[in-house]
Amino acid sequence: MRVPFILKTSAVLVLGVLPRLATAEPESLTEGDRIALDEQLLKIQQQSQDRVGGLYRRAIQDYRNAIQSDDATMNLYLKCYEKVRYTDEKRKTQDFREWKRRNKDRLNSASMRMALRHQLSWLLLSIEAAQRDGEISEMGQRAMTHLDQIFKNAERLQEHRNVLSQNALSSVFAQAYDLNIKVKDWPTSALDIGGIYKQVIMPPLRSRDRVGLLRSAWIRRIQHEGLVHEKWGKREGTSIGKKDAMLPPEYEKFLAENRPALLWQMEVDCFKVGDEKAAAVNMLNHLQKYLYHKNAPDWIKDFQELINPEKLEGDEVAEK
């Protein structure tokens, strides 16, 4: 069995200090020992960085080639799947061919290939985010375009939305290349709409001079959230000419409950960024329109606190 290079190097290091560790009396490290250990650690670190860098470069190149078409994506997926699920697990090639035969229709599905392509595209974006070391403020527009492309083909992708919801960082694409990617405040799923907007798209827009863009981003988020239920919800009723009868129940619930809640969050966000007058008028109109919404009492309280922060602080002092 091939021993990973890190283990080989570590073995040499351990063997080098073993005679010291085997002495009867415990000893402290000398300055010479520390220097020697530092040198060995630097070599290990460089070897590790070279290996990881090489893996990333090869993976990125293969991924970029694969996302050029749905068929190319499927070809890479099959190679990765065979490596992860069969080669690495010491399973027979014949078993892999049998798996492909059993899943022929699914693997030949154009929608399945498209879903995998979107997953791979998000993995590429995730790798770039990792390389930026958290500086992802410039990636918001690309993340939004990514969601637009998914919902542009929502009907075709419905059957394979589970692929889009998977953690792209632990997909077979990533596993096959031994990628160990961790990105702080980065959504791992290609379909994590809330996370993509909250963590990637909206943060850099929260400034007074970009409040218009922030509001537009909120509107796009609400549209994307609604499309999930509108396009992928189960429809009930087939009455011809009655549009409402054709709406999925999940979408109707979204329109009645979730959408008003998101609209309120949008106005609160814009108010706090500095667009106080417009947001206040919008919130007042919102309260009048959704007077019987279950969150209305909380909204009224929030609104009072926003427009009268000094009064709130005074009340708190009085209570003390």
Side-chain angles (χ1 to χ4, degrees):
M1 181 178 70
R2 185 173 62 87
V3 180
F5 76 91
I6 291 180
L7 293 181
K8 288 181 179 178
T9 311
S10 300
V12 172
L13 177 60
V14 172
L15 289 174
V17 300
L18 200 58
R20 285 181 171 272
L21 299 177
T23 57
E25 296 295 329
E27 295 182 52
S28 300
L29 289 172
T30 66
E31 187 61 28
D33 291 334
R34 297 180 191 280
I35 293 173
L37 287 168
D38 279 339
E39 290 176 351
Q40 291 290 339
L41 285 172
L42 284 173
K43 290 179 182 178
I44 293 173
Q45 183 183 41
Q46 187 59 53
Q47 288 175 323
S48 177
Q49 290 175 344
D50 291 344
R51 178 176 181 272
V52 171
L55 283 172
Y56 268 51
R57 285 192 295 272
R58 184 162 64 91
I60 291 171
Q61 185 60 51
D62 289 350
Y63 294 163
R64 285 176 176 169
N65 291 336
I67 63 169
Q68 297 306 309
S69 71
D70 293 347
D71 289 344
T73 298
M74 177 54 74
N75 289 336
L76 180 62
Y77 173 77
L78 290 174
K79 291 178 182 178
C80 292
Y81 195 93
E82 181 179 15
K83 179 183 183 302
V84 173
R85 298 285 188 263
Y86 289 86
T87 304
D88 291 350
E89 295 181 6
K90 304 296 188 293
R91 297 167 67 184
K92 298 178 181 178
T93 303
Q94 182 180 345
D95 293 338
F96 173 65
R97 288 197 295 265
E98 177 60 22
W99 173 83
K100 284 203 300 181
R101 187 191 64 79
R102 292 196 311 270
N103 293 275
K104 181 179 178 181
D105 292 341
R106 182 169 177 266
L107 296 173
N108 288 337
S109 166
S111 57
M112 173 65 171
R113 295 174 179 224
M114 182 183 293
L116 288 171
R117 191 177 179 187
H118 284 304
Q119 183 188 73
L120 184 58
S121 176
W122 188 253
L123 177 56
L124 265 173
L125 277 178
S126 301
I127 293 174
E128 182 176 341
Q131 293 175 324
R132 287 171 176 260
D133 195 26
E135 293 296 326
I136 58 175
S137 58
E138 298 177 2
M139 300 182 70
Q141 185 58 50
R142 290 160 64 192
M144 193 182 296
T145 300
H146 159 82
L147 288 173
D148 284 339
Q149 290 300 316
I150 289 177
F151 287 106
K152 181 180 178 181
N153 298 284
E155 288 86 355
R156 294 179 63 188
L157 290 168
Q158 180 175 7
E159 184 181 354
H160 304 290
R161 58 181 295 192
N162 63 308
V163 173
L164 301 172
S165 300
Q166 291 172 357
N167 184 347
L169 307 186
S170 61
S171 64
V172 293
F173 291 119
Q175 291 180 53
Y177 287 83
D178 296 324
L179 298 185
N180 183 21
I181 305 170
K182 294 181 180 178
V183 193
K184 184 180 180 181
D185 297 330
W186 179 264
T188 58
S189 163
L191 199 58
D192 182 2
I193 298 172
I196 290 173
Y197 274 94
K198 283 191 268 187
Q199 296 175 303
V200 183
I201 297 173
M202 290 180 177
L205 304 180
R206 289 195 173 98
S207 61
R208 194 181 184 92
D209 61 330
R210 307 191 78 186
V211 69
L213 294 174
L214 176 62
R215 189 179 293 279
S216 297
W218 267 105
I219 292 171
R220 291 282 287 280
R221 176 191 171 179
I222 294 169
Q223 290 172 345
H224 284 145
E225 297 270 15
L227 286 170
V228 170
H229 305 288
E230 180 184 5
K231 300 297 184 181
W232 293 337
K234 295 182 180 178
R235 298 180 181 273
E236 294 181 1
T238 56
S239 301
I240 298 176
K242 295 183 178 180
K243 184 177 180 181
D244 289 345
M246 296 298 293
L247 292 177
E250 298 94 331
Y251 186 46
E252 290 184 335
K253 182 178 180 181
F254 171 81
L255 293 175
E257 298 180 13
N258 299 52
R259 184 175 181 276
L262 289 169
L263 286 170
W264 180 261
Q265 292 174 33
M266 173 180 73
E267 298 303 339
V268 170
D269 201 2
C270 292
F271 185 99
K272 290 180 177 179
V273 168
D275 193 19
E276 294 184 354
K277 184 172 288 188
V281 171
N282 291 340
M283 281 189 278
L284 192 62
N285 292 333
H286 186 88
L287 287 170
Q288 293 172 338
K289 183 176 181 179
Y290 298 104
L291 187 61
Y292 300 106
H293 192 282
K294 64 179 183 179
N295 292 344
D298 292 330
W299 293 342
I300 293 172
K301 183 179 178 181
D302 291 344
F303 191 39
Q304 290 172 333
E305 293 175 357
L306 285 170
I307 62 176
N308 294 303
E310 298 85 359
K311 182 178 183 301
L312 177 65
E313 292 174 3
D315 292 343
E316 289 177 349
V317 171
E319 288 178 2
K320 292 179 181 178

